[in-house]
């Protein structure tokens, strides 16, 4: 870990913290999710650089050592994808390989939709492409399926979930998220989801040192930046109307764990395996479902995910 380098780049009106290793090779740009940091890619950064690639992982807008604008509207899909496009330019690249997880996967899908010219090939983890449904806004959809206690529903009101998380330690919240393995989904009742006295058994892929690092960064940045991504879901639905029905035409590999809550959305497995996904992403080359693996897949199965990435991008 000491061999990786940290720097800050000024892009799209913010200061973005990036971590990199292996300068001079083809760039593999890795995008994290919630509640994560560049640190989620710590294993892949080292392994990809050792194979001759230039591995780059930013703290996305609102996270870690990257700026966190206070205005919710500053987290629109155009701001977020704009950050990635500008980062690619700042790296001196015309095109890069992209790997995304969770919200990073969603951003990667949209990057490929808006600017396919910037992406050589894509490896996305956990979140399959979800085409815009013109009939219903996404938050309204999730609330209709899962109710008001579903985490996306509970994240909508500014300041509320932040205050709930702040009533317990940041470490407790991080441990709760990272040890969660129920594919039925995350539900956060108003009477309390977590207490300071809850005990968590960390999996073998997550150490107390890891939790301490992640928690320290969230104590610095707060929760609002990451949660604001969810607060823009409905406005993003409005903004992206021109892309309704558009296909993603970038060579793609998709990997998900069979215990991932995203793999248990209503109808998602039929969509992934019975032709809908391939229709919307016609250059989809492979779908991998990893047995017994939950959401934080690139950490839980670090070596396997790195190998999947290498096996795919070496074709290009």
């Amino acid at each position: 870990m000491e061999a990786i380098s940290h720097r800050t780049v000024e892009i799209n009106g913010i200061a973005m913290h990036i971590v990199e290793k292996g300068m001079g090779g083809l760039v593999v740009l890795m995008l994290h999710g919630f509640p994560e940091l560049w640190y989620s890619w710590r294993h892949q950064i080292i392994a990809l650089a050792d194979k001759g690639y230039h591995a780059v992982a930013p703290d996305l807008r609102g996270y870690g050592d990257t700026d966190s604008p206070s205005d919710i509207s500053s987290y629109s899909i155009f701001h977020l994808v704009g950050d990635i496009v500008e980062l690619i330019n700042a790296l001196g690249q015309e095109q890069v390989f992209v790997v995304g997880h969770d919200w990073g996967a969603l951003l990667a899908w949209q990057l490929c939709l808006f600017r396919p010219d910037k992406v050589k090939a894509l490896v996305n983890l956990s979140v399959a492409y979800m085409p815009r449904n013109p009939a219903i806004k996404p938050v309204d959809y999730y609330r209709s399926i899962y109710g008001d206690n579903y985490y996306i529903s509970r994240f909508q009101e500014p300041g509320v979930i932040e205050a709930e998380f702040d009533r317990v330690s940041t470490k407790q919240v991080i441990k709760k998220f990272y040890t969660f393995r129920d594919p039925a989904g995350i539900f956060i009742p108003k009477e309390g989801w977590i207490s300071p006295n809850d005990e968590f058994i960390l999996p073998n892929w997550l150490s107390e040192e890891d939790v301490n690092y992640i928690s320290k960064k969230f104590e610095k940045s707060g929760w609002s930046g990451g949660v604001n991504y969810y607060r823009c879901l409905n406005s993003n639905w409005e903004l992206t109307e021109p892309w309704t029905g558009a296909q993603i035409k970038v060579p793609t590999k998709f990997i998900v764990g069979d215990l991932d809550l995203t793999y248990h959305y209503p109808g998602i497995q039929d969509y992934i395996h019975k032709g809908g996904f391939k229709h919307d992403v016609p250059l989809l080359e492979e779908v991998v479902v990893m047995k017994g693996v939950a959401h934080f897949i690139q950490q839980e199965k670090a070596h396997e995910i790195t190998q999947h990435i290498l096996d795919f991008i070496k074709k290009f």
Side-chain angles (χ1 to χ4, degrees):
M1 292 293 287
E2 290 77 14
I4 65 175
S5 63
H6 297 250
R7 63 184 171 113
T8 299
V9 291
E10 301 290 332
I11 57 165
N12 203 19
I14 64 169
M16 175 174 275
H17 169 243
I18 68 171
V19 172
E20 57 193 334
K21 190 173 189 290
M23 272 69 90
L26 294 172
V27 172
V28 182
L29 178 60
M30 291 167 279
L31 309 177
H32 68 78
F34 177 89
E36 300 180 77
L37 304 162
W38 73 266
Y39 193 78
S40 291
W41 302 107
R42 59 195 179 279
H43 306 294
Q44 287 76 30
I45 291 169
I46 294 170
L48 291 170
D50 287 347
K51 293 295 184 180
Y53 291 94
H54 179 183
V56 181
D59 284 336
L60 295 174
R61 174 183 293 240
Y63 286 91
D65 294 321
T66 291
D67 286 348
S68 300
S70 59
D71 190 342
I72 293 173
S73 65
S74 295
Y75 296 85
S76 79
I77 196 65
F78 292 146
H79 287 84
L80 302 176
V81 175
D83 291 346
I84 304 308
V85 172
E86 277 301 298
L87 176 56
I88 293 169
N89 294 338
L91 292 168
Q93 303 296 308
E94 291 294 324
Q95 278 193 325
V96 298
F97 295 112
V98 176
V99 184
H101 172 253
D102 187 77
W103 260 101
L106 192 152
L107 298 188
W109 292 125
Q110 299 299 310
L111 171 65
C112 292
L113 193 62
F114 302 154
R115 291 297 304 274
D117 58 302
K118 306 302 288 185
V119 184
K120 290 179 186 289
L122 171 67
V123 179
N124 255 351
L125 314 179
S126 295
V127 179
Y129 179 60
M130 291 178 280
R132 183 183 183 275
N133 181 353
I136 188 169
K137 296 179 179 180
V139 175
D140 301 351
Y141 169 76
Y142 288 118
R143 186 172 278 123
S144 72
I145 296 294
Y146 295 111
D148 291 336
N149 284 342
Y150 192 56
Y151 76 105
I152 292 176
S153 305
R154 293 279 279 115
F155 281 4
Q156 294 305 308
E157 188 175 348
V160 171
I161 203 67
E162 293 95 323
E164 292 184 22
F165 287 170
D166 286 344
R167 282 196 284 271
V168 296
S169 74
T170 304
K171 286 184 184 180
Q172 286 291 87
V173 178
I174 292 298
K175 287 181 178 180
K176 180 80 169 184
F177 274 114
Y178 277 65
T179 58
F180 185 86
R181 297 181 70 83
D182 184 354
I186 299 174
F187 296 86
I188 305 178
K190 293 181 180 179
E191 57 269 21
W193 182 56
I194 184 174
S195 80
N197 299 320
D198 289 344
E199 294 186 5
F200 300 96
I201 298 173
L202 297 184
N204 59 11
W205 50 266
L206 186 72
S207 68
E208 286 287 349
E209 183 182 5
D210 296 330
V211 171
N212 290 340
Y213 182 89
I214 298 163
S215 300
K216 180 180 177 181
K217 296 303 180 181
F218 273 92
E219 288 168 358
K220 173 186 176 181
S221 66
W223 295 103
S224 290
V227 174
N228 282 341
Y229 287 48
Y230 296 90
R231 293 175 179 146
C232 288
L233 282 168
N234 277 356
S235 58
N236 288 340
W237 178 87
E238 297 175 6
L239 292 169
T240 56
E241 193 279 337
W243 288 271
T244 301
Q247 293 177 311
I248 290 177
K249 296 182 178 179
V250 170
T252 299
K253 180 175 187 173
F254 178 69
I255 310 169
V256 66
D258 69 345
L259 298 180
D260 197 318
L261 67 130
T262 67
Y263 191 59
H264 294 268
Y265 291 152
I268 192 68
Q269 293 182 31
D270 282 349
Y271 173 75
I272 289 173
H273 299 295
K274 295 185 177 180
F277 195 13
K278 179 68 172 178
H279 173 270
D280 293 330
V281 188
L283 300 182
L284 177 67
E285 295 192 14
E286 187 177 1
V287 171
V288 177
V289 180
M290 300 183 74
K291 301 297 183 183
V293 181
H295 185 64
F296 296 98
I297 189 168
Q298 78 272 43
Q299 299 178 74
E300 183 175 348
K301 294 294 181 182
H303 174 75
E304 292 90 333
I305 291 299
T306 299
Q307 196 58 53
H308 277 300
I309 294 168
L310 288 166
D311 288 346
F312 189 63
I313 65 176
K314 71 182 181 182
K315 301 177 183 179
F316 307 94

